[in-house]
Amino acid sequence: MHSYDVFTQYERNHWKLTDIDFSAVDKDKVKPEYVTIAKSAVMGESNVIAAVHGFLNEFVDDYDFSTFAVVWGNQEVQHHYMFKAWLDAIGEKVDDAAVAAMRAPYAPGITPSATLATNIISELTVNHIYRRVASAVDEPVLNTLLLNASRDEAGHAREFIHYCKERLLRHPEETASVLETLYVYTSDKRIKHPVGIFKSELTELEDHETIDTAFELFLERIADADELLELQGKIRKVFGTIVDMDLSSNGKVRRALAEVIAA
């Protein structure tokens, strides 16, 4: 099983939260936007429980992927708690009621392949954002956490890509749903993430930071002028390798979707 290889690799190489010295946080270098980013990250990463629950419901016939989902979930919980620990170190708190409101499992996607596609987009997006935000953060502990998380998300994307390819080999009829998902998430002039799409209307999140808060801050204060387009192009390129089609523009994604449906 592929999940066994992933598990053993993580066991050998993965960093530990207990290795982070949170007493070393340099409070003099903490800026208000860092607090906003960390609180937004806590909220975004808290969705791991809903996601794992959803995966286990939707992939009840796939032991290998379900096992990976549990391994993945452990690392995402680690991300949730590392940002919480950093906030604790500077005397900032996140509303537990807001976190608890994220608990409900995600509903199944249009197809299981579409669900995997959604998570590929999620991981590629957060990998990019964490890495770029780290380059703008002066506080050393938060910088380390962001870089650790970015590397983890890159690894997660790689595994979701693997499982999506394997799924499409067994179920090529789900290709259209993958292309449709790609278009939905990369056709707007904003960063779209499943947590924002499916959880943003919760009343418990009113007046509280969400993952979209961090994305908006990133685009306003950190991102280069064309960075959103570059990120979306990167995501389309990855999907092109998954379905072996030219998806280098939104127009080409639409044409590919039409071809797949016609076939």
Side-chain angles (χ1 to χ4, degrees):
M1 291 189 180
H2 183 70
S3 57
Y4 174 75
D5 295 332
V6 175
F7 177 77
T8 54
Q9 179 185 2
Y10 287 176
E11 284 282 285
R12 293 190 190 102
N13 302 322
H14 192 61
W15 62 279
K16 296 181 180 179
L17 186 60
T18 51
D19 293 335
I20 305 297
D21 182 7
F22 288 97
S23 68
V25 172
D26 189 341
K27 296 181 181 179
D28 292 335
K29 293 185 177 180
V30 174
K31 299 177 182 178
E33 55 264 37
Y34 298 179
V35 177
T36 298
I37 288 167
K39 287 185 176 181
S40 300
V42 167
M43 295 303 299
E45 300 286 2
S46 72
N47 276 264
V48 57
I49 306 302
V52 170
H53 192 161
F55 286 146
L56 297 182
N57 283 341
E58 188 170 0
F59 291 85
V60 68
D61 60 343
D62 189 335
Y63 185 91
D64 187 25
F65 176 74
S66 298
T67 305
F68 165 72
V70 174
V71 176
W72 168 83
N74 180 69
Q75 287 198 348
E76 297 292 7
V77 168
Q78 184 182 35
H79 295 173
H80 171 70
Y81 282 137
M82 76 181 188
F83 287 115
K84 184 179 184 299
W86 185 84
L87 289 166
D88 287 344
I90 62 172
E92 292 281 348
K93 302 295 181 184
V94 172
D95 185 357
D96 287 343
V99 172
M102 312 298 261
R103 170 61 185 89
Y106 284 100
I110 300 170
T111 67
S113 292
T115 296
L116 296 171
T118 300
N119 282 273
I120 294 167
I121 294 168
S122 169
E123 302 291 352
L124 291 173
T125 298
V126 180
N127 159 255
H128 181 91
I129 301 299
Y130 281 156
R131 176 172 49 80
R132 286 287 285 113
V133 171
S135 70
V137 165
D138 297 326
E139 200 291 303
V141 176
L142 182 58
N143 176 274
T144 296
L145 298 179
L146 288 163
L147 290 174
N148 284 349
S150 177
R151 286 188 289 267
D152 290 348
E153 308 295 13
H156 298 164
R158 181 177 62 249
E159 306 311 335
F160 278 111
I161 290 167
H162 167 85
Y163 283 108
C164 189
K165 286 181 176 178
E166 291 294 308
R167 175 79 190 183
L168 288 176
L169 285 175
R170 300 191 303 273
H171 298 277
E173 72 278 5
E174 296 181 0
T175 301
S177 68
V178 170
L179 295 172
E180 195 174 52
T181 300
L182 172 64
Y183 186 77
V184 166
Y185 279 90
T186 60
S187 59
D188 283 357
K189 293 181 179 179
R190 65 186 180 94
I191 297 173
K192 295 177 74 172
H193 189 281
V195 174
I197 296 294
F198 295 107
K199 301 284 187 174
S200 62
E201 300 302 319
L202 294 170
T203 57
E204 293 88 347
L205 302 185
E206 292 178 2
D207 303 319
H208 198 286
E209 293 85 355
T210 68
I211 193 169
D212 288 332
T213 310
F215 291 154
E216 291 166 7
L217 188 153
F218 171 74
L219 291 177
E220 290 174 3
R221 302 192 190 181
I222 298 173
D224 296 331
D226 295 327
E227 193 155 356
L228 176 58
L229 295 177
E230 292 173 5
L231 172 60
Q232 292 173 338
K234 175 183 176 181
I235 293 169
R236 286 194 292 269
K237 183 176 180 179
V238 168
F239 274 73
T241 67
I242 293 172
V243 299
D244 194 23
M245 303 178 81
D246 181 0
L247 305 177
S248 55
S249 69
N250 283 323
K252 290 180 178 179
V253 174
R254 290 195 299 271
R255 283 195 290 275
L257 179 57
E259 290 172 7
V260 169
I261 292 174

